[in-house]
Amino acid sequence: MSRRLGYSMPHFGTKPNSAPPPGLNSRAENHQMNSECAGGALSSLSNGAPLAIKNEDLIGHFECPVCFDYAVPPLLQCHSGHLVCQLCREKLSCCPSCRGPIGSVRNLAMEKVAATLVFPCRFSNSGCTQTMGCFVKLKHEEVCDFRPYTCPCPGAGCNWNGPLEQVTTHLKTAHSSITTLQGEDIVFLATDISLPGAVDWVMMQTCFNHHFILILEKQDRNDGCVFYAVVYFVGNRKDAEKFAYKLELGGDRRKLTWEATPISILDGVNANVFSRDCVMFEEAIAKQFAENGNLGINVAITTFELLDANMLAADDAMFD
């Protein structure tokens, strides 16, 4: 049968009127000495309890020396104990603090400390006021509305990024060839669809006090050319979910229709093409709907609030 080993520390001054052995102080003396040794290192409240160290003081120890954001678990340190955030670590070949090997040793003690703290968002300087635990920080920043927006113009090789309110201004100045149309129901005309190679056609549509971007992309594949058409919302994901769009190709008693919810440009203008969440058609089908080498696409944008109201009106008309 296994046994558990117990131990007991010696106790002094437990008996009344007993004196501690020579060289040892009494409890009262020890308490006084500890208070004096603290020497103000810990402030005290009126009831004698020490003040807790502020969250802001502790999170400073997690600051990345490269980007000045905060490193969150898993925390990997160099051989000297220096930390960097995950995003910067992927780009480094040596420790930025001591120039030693970047290392791959986890600092479990610091991870436990991080789990007790709250951190600001990486984009707090852009206006985000949320604070969160270390385990949800990176997930929040992936969808944060205050993330810098990148240029939504495909194929331009543009490296611009900035706040949402500057996106349309950038498009009109740096990409002046993009057509802008007003209205909820418009026609986008893509010219010369037979041009060889990969080609993009881009148009901006303004309605409901918001901006939308229609992209028609032509890609060369081994089995022939394929067209992709999709509508993006210039804004955040939450607002994008309030709208619906319809793309329609028609002509000669044929019709091709696609209905969906626009995707925020925060997700990147190629997100839908990569996931195939868009209308796709081969070059032969495009030519059936084209006239003189130009392809017209009807674009209708509405809100789900209007769609619901129209459905209710239709139901009422059925019972009248």
Side-chain angles (χ1 to χ4, degrees):
M1 182 176 66
S2 62
R3 296 179 179 177
R4 286 188 288 182
L5 179 64
Y7 65 92
S8 176
M9 297 294 291
H11 296 276
F12 301 109
T14 56
K15 293 182 180 180
N17 302 321
S18 62
L24 293 178
N25 300 311
S26 65
R27 284 185 175 180
E29 291 172 333
N30 282 331
H31 178 73
Q32 182 178 358
M33 290 175 64
N34 288 337
S35 299
E36 293 174 354
C37 288
L42 288 177
S43 301
S44 296
L45 298 174
S46 58
N47 59 4
L51 283 172
I53 300 177
K54 293 181 180 180
N55 184 87
E56 292 77 7
D57 296 332
L58 286 175
I59 64 174
H61 296 290
F62 295 87
E63 186 177 272
C64 174
V66 179
C67 67
F68 305 108
D69 189 26
Y70 298 101
V72 295
L75 296 173
L76 300 177
Q77 65 177 31
C78 75
H79 295 298
S80 299
H82 301 126
L83 302 175
V84 293
C85 73
Q86 295 182 36
L87 295 178
C88 293
R89 179 183 173 81
E90 297 172 356
K91 308 171 186 176
L92 297 173
S93 57
C94 65
C95 175
S97 298
C98 66
R99 302 301 176 186
I102 192 68
S104 58
V105 179
R106 288 185 67 177
N107 191 324
L108 299 179
M110 289 293 279
E111 288 186 9
K112 290 181 179 179
V113 175
T116 66
L117 305 174
V118 291
F119 294 84
C121 172
R122 172 184 286 266
F123 309 113
S124 58
N125 290 336
S126 299
C128 183
T129 59
Q130 291 195 41
T131 57
M132 62 222 74
C134 62
F135 296 109
V136 298
K137 184 177 186 293
L138 295 179
K139 291 182 179 179
H140 161 80
E141 290 168 354
E142 290 177 357
V143 299
C144 180
D145 291 338
F146 293 91
R147 283 179 57 188
Y149 285 72
T150 57
C151 176
C153 187
C158 181
N159 295 321
W160 178 89
N161 66 77
L164 172 61
E165 56 269 18
Q166 295 180 11
V167 172
T168 55
T169 301
H170 166 74
L171 290 174
K172 292 176 181 179
T173 55
H175 308 282
S176 56
S177 60
I178 296 178
T179 302
T180 302
L181 297 179
Q182 303 279 342
E184 305 165 17
D185 196 341
I186 56 92
V187 176
F188 171 46
L189 187 65
T191 59
D192 299 325
I193 63 170
S194 296
L195 288 172
V199 186
D200 297 308
W201 294 266
V202 184
M203 181 202 72
M204 189 158 59
Q205 181 175 354
T206 302
C207 57
F208 300 108
N209 295 319
H210 287 282
H211 302 284
F212 302 83
I213 297 177
L214 169 67
I215 295 177
L216 177 65
E217 182 174 333
K218 179 184 178 182
Q219 294 184 359
D220 272 331
R221 302 197 312 190
N222 294 332
D223 54 350
C225 294
V226 177
F227 288 82
Y228 303 90
V230 65
V231 172
Y232 290 94
F233 176 72
V234 182
N236 59 49
R237 297 173 180 87
K238 184 177 180 180
D239 288 339
E241 294 174 353
K242 301 175 183 178
F243 298 93
Y245 72 90
K246 180 171 71 173
L247 303 179
E248 185 175 284
L249 285 75
D252 195 20
R253 294 179 296 178
R254 296 183 180 90
K255 183 180 290 187
L256 178 63
T257 302
W258 171 266
E259 295 180 282
T261 299
I263 301 298
S264 167
I265 59 172
L266 273 176
D267 294 314
V269 293
N270 290 320
N272 291 66
V273 174
F274 289 145
S275 64
R276 298 297 189 263
D277 186 16
C278 57
V279 60
M280 300 180 294
F281 47 91
E282 298 177 352
E283 187 174 23
I285 295 178
K287 290 181 178 180
Q288 290 181 0
F289 291 104
E291 290 186 16
N292 300 320
N294 304 322
L295 181 64
I297 303 177
N298 295 312
V299 186
I301 295 176
T302 187
T303 66
F304 280 105
E305 184 178 356
L306 284 176
L307 287 175
D308 293 340
N310 291 337
M311 290 179 63
L312 289 174
D315 290 341
D316 293 340
M318 288 179 60
F319 293 103
D320 286 345

